[in-house]
Amino acid sequence: MIYISANVNKKAIVGTPSLKNKVSLFAKYQFYYELQNSPKEKDMDITALYQIFLGCTGITTDSRNCPEGSLFIALKGDTFNGNAFAAKALEAGSTYAVVDEAAYAPAGDTRYILVDNCLHTLQQLANYHRRQLGTRIIGITGTNGKTTTKELISAVLSQKYNVLYTLGNLNNPIGVPLTLLRLTTEHELGVVEMGASHPGDIKELVEIAEPDYGIITNVGKAHLEGFGSFEGVIRTKGELYDYLRRQGNSTIFLHQDNPYLREIARGLNPITYGEENSLYINGHVTGNSPYLAFEWRAGKEGEFHQVHTRLIGEYNFPNALAAVTIGHFFGVEAEKIDKALNEYEPRNNRSQLKKTADNTLIIDAYNANPTSMMASISNFRNMQAENKMLILGDMRELGKDSADEHQKIADYLEECGFKDVVLVGELFAATRHSYQSYPDVTALIAELQREKPCGKTILIKGSNGIKLSSVVEYL
């Protein structure tokens, strides 16, 4: 067993070994480090663990997926203890297992590395690795659209650079470190998505990722139960700007049309985008039936470029324009920017268009909050389509504002004049409305099996926990 302290002073991380040294210091010998108070000793601890990491083929936190030569880090959750699976990870192919409970680290077995806290160790190792490589990092957060925007930015930048970007929505205190630990010397840029549900979450993540550039897609009403208020959302998302402001002369990419973002961006160096002609990148929506089309140009005198995306919804226009802005800033040719955006196809139930034998479906069932729900309904209202139908699910994590926000959606549906609406979930069921309502998706599926809609254009929108994506096969 090897013991390494996870209490690392990041300010002391200097003069670290070259990445060319791929040999683990612990392949044959057992080392033991006492926990010391001096920065020098703490630096030695993280350096030792980093050498182990360099000698491995990668990081895994899942004992069911342990590639040969990997480093397993035992994380804990509400219903599991990764320490209990360390031995299984070693049997499956991992070379070392990092644990934080001595009971799971047999004495004399140098494959086990005992630390104070596995999650903190993962985060500190990722920050250390990020510092050694010095790759330029673009940090991205926002209430809505950050995953789509991250995908669009990465698609555009990949036309010119070798880009590392967050896979899926691995944007939390585990996902961000795992993303950073995938960085190699071949990567020229990194696009790291950061999510939040409580105050301080973004502050924690930016201190791990240490981004050089930043973009906040927008701020809206989401996770109000954790943030406490809309103002709490704004402050938390603004923690990205706060970090960059402290670094001095940092660049942000600013959606100039958003007054909340303009307010919290004071004191920073903004590269602006939006609909005003004077902005760095400006543009306008030119079509939305059903796919988003838009035009953009650089500055007042630039040539307009036409883009025809495979994205559903005008609300994706700022996301696409952000990708144009960042691509142009980093020198990607206009034609290649257009190509990337034209060819990008959304996945994971995010604004997907799917045609079945009976209906046309607009699937946006990965997440929902009052801001994104209102935007989706408004877009659907303006879309040119016949026989419109909406299947909407509850919006989760709204706390004390939940009843009011669900009622606002129900009232807006009435205002829009929609007739064919299905509401799913106990929160929508408690609102005043004139629509069909089901307590859960199981009850809805039972009804769809009895009578399937035909010839409809159907918007499917709700929080992931409502599981509306499971109704697709019945439509």
Side-chain angles (χ1 to χ4, degrees):
M1 176 182 70
I2 303 165
Y3 176 78
I4 297 179
S5 170
N7 297 318
V8 179
N9 182 342
K10 291 200 294 185
K11 292 181 180 179
I13 301 175
V14 293
T16 51
S18 168
L19 286 175
K20 294 181 180 180
N21 182 4
K22 297 293 184 181
V23 181
S24 169
L25 298 180
F26 297 100
K28 297 181 180 180
Y29 302 100
Q30 177 178 357
F31 286 78
Y32 180 88
Y33 291 103
E34 295 286 351
L35 178 60
Q36 301 290 334
N37 292 320
S38 72
K40 181 178 179 181
E41 288 300 324
K42 290 177 181 179
D43 183 39
M44 183 183 297
D45 290 340
I46 197 65
T47 301
L49 182 58
Y50 190 58
Q51 290 300 316
I52 293 176
F53 164 70
L54 292 181
C56 293
T57 56
I59 294 284
T60 180
T61 61
D62 186 348
S63 62
R64 298 164 298 183
N65 180 21
C66 295
E68 195 69 28
S70 60
L71 174 64
F72 174 75
I73 299 183
L75 301 179
K76 297 176 182 176
D78 294 335
T79 60
F80 66 92
N81 182 352
N83 289 279
F85 299 94
K88 181 180 177 181
L90 293 171
E91 292 174 3
S94 292
T95 301
Y96 295 97
V98 178
V99 298
D100 55 15
E101 294 183 19
Y104 293 98
D109 192 332
T110 59
R111 297 176 301 166
Y112 291 88
I113 303 168
L114 181 62
V115 300
D116 299 326
N117 182 297
C118 281
L119 177 58
H120 293 167
T121 296
L122 174 68
Q123 294 169 343
Q124 292 161 2
L125 183 64
N127 174 260
Y128 192 90
H129 180 56
R130 182 263 180 279
R131 289 189 173 197
Q132 308 320 301
L133 290 177
T135 309
R136 290 178 294 175
I137 299 290
I138 302 166
I140 177 170
T141 190
T143 302
N144 301 307
K146 56 184 174 291
T147 298
T148 297
T149 306
K150 174 260 301 179
E151 297 279 339
L152 294 173
I153 291 170
S154 302
V156 168
L157 292 176
S158 294
Q159 296 291 315
K160 181 176 180 178
Y161 300 96
N162 187 328
V163 181
L164 175 88
Y165 58 93
T166 302
L167 298 177
N169 68 327
L170 292 175
N171 58 20
N172 62 17
I174 297 172
V176 168
L178 290 176
T179 297
L180 294 171
L181 288 167
R182 290 172 40 234
L183 276 170
T184 71
T185 54
E186 284 73 37
H187 290 120
E188 299 167 282
L189 287 170
V191 182
V192 179
E193 179 183 337
M194 294 173 281
S197 55
H198 298 86
D201 284 353
I202 297 300
K203 181 178 184 295
E204 176 186 7
L205 297 178
V206 294
E207 289 178 351
I208 297 170
E210 297 187 359
D212 304 284
Y213 310 88
I215 177 172
I216 303 176
T217 57
N218 52 47
V219 287
K221 295 179 179 179
H223 301 294
L224 296 181
E225 189 172 22
F227 290 120
S229 65
F230 179 45
E231 290 72 22
V233 175
I234 297 172
R235 285 194 299 271
T236 302
K237 300 303 181 183
E239 289 168 1
L240 171 58
Y241 286 172
D242 293 341
Y243 171 83
L244 293 170
R245 192 177 286 108
R246 291 194 300 271
Q247 306 314 303
N249 199 34
S250 295
T251 297
I252 65 167
F253 303 96
L254 177 65
H255 184 205
Q256 187 71 17
D257 300 341
N258 190 308
Y260 301 111
L261 297 182
R262 291 200 308 268
E263 179 65 25
I264 61 176
R266 292 183 178 181
L268 286 164
N269 178 28
I271 302 298
T272 55
Y273 62 95
E275 296 197 46
E276 298 177 18
N277 291 336
S278 61
L279 302 179
Y280 179 78
I281 296 293
N282 57 85
H284 305 277
V285 173
T286 57
N288 183 32
S289 295
Y291 293 120
L292 168 70
F294 68 96
E295 61 181 11
W296 70 270
R297 68 177 178 180
K300 293 181 180 180
E301 308 299 332
E303 174 188 354
F304 273 110
H305 296 265
Q306 306 298 320
V307 177
H308 298 271
T309 76
R310 301 180 189 182
L311 297 166
I312 301 292
E314 288 188 22
Y315 50 82
N316 273 309
F317 171 58
N319 303 333
L321 205 59
V324 171
T325 303
I326 293 176
H328 187 75
F329 178 83
F330 283 100
V332 180
E333 295 176 2
E335 292 74 17
K336 292 184 177 180
I337 292 175
D338 299 342
K339 176 178 182 291
L341 296 178
N342 287 333
E343 294 178 354
Y344 172 78
E345 292 191 43
R347 297 177 178 85
N348 299 324
N349 297 317
R350 297 177 188 271
S351 299
Q352 287 180 265
L353 182 74
K354 180 180 178 67
K355 292 189 176 182
T356 69
D358 300 297
N359 300 289
T360 298
L361 311 180
I362 298 170
I363 309 168
D364 194 4
Y366 185 82
N367 208 348
N369 56 61
T371 305
S372 66
M373 182 72 82
M374 198 70 80
S376 292
I377 296 171
S378 176
N379 179 78
F380 193 58
R381 178 188 192 180
N382 297 330
M383 184 181 294
Q384 295 179 4
E386 296 182 355
N387 299 321
K388 294 180 182 179
M389 177 180 179
L390 299 90
I391 300 177
L392 307 180
D394 283 353
M395 303 173 290
R396 299 286 183 85
E397 300 180 40
L398 297 180
K400 61 182 176 57
D401 297 306
S402 183
D404 287 343
E405 295 297 341
H406 281 83
Q407 188 60 57
K408 288 178 183 178
I409 296 298
D411 293 343
Y412 185 59
L413 290 168
E414 301 276 7
E415 178 187 326
C416 290
F418 289 117
K419 303 298 182 185
D420 199 353
V421 177
V422 174
L423 302 176
V424 183
E426 296 178 355
L427 298 173
F428 268 131
T431 63
R432 299 179 304 277
H433 64 268
S434 59
Y435 304 116
Q436 290 179 279
S437 179
Y438 297 89
D440 53 42
V441 73
T442 301
L444 172 59
I445 289 174
E447 177 60 28
L448 293 175
Q449 289 175 317
R450 284 191 292 270
E451 185 176 355
K452 178 192 291 187
C454 290
K456 303 282 189 178
T457 299
I458 306 174
L459 170 65
I460 304 172
K461 175 76 174 175
S463 287
N464 193 38
I466 302 299
K467 303 185 185 305
L468 284 186
S469 58
S470 62
V471 308
V472 171
E473 63 179 292
Y474 301 96
L475 296 170

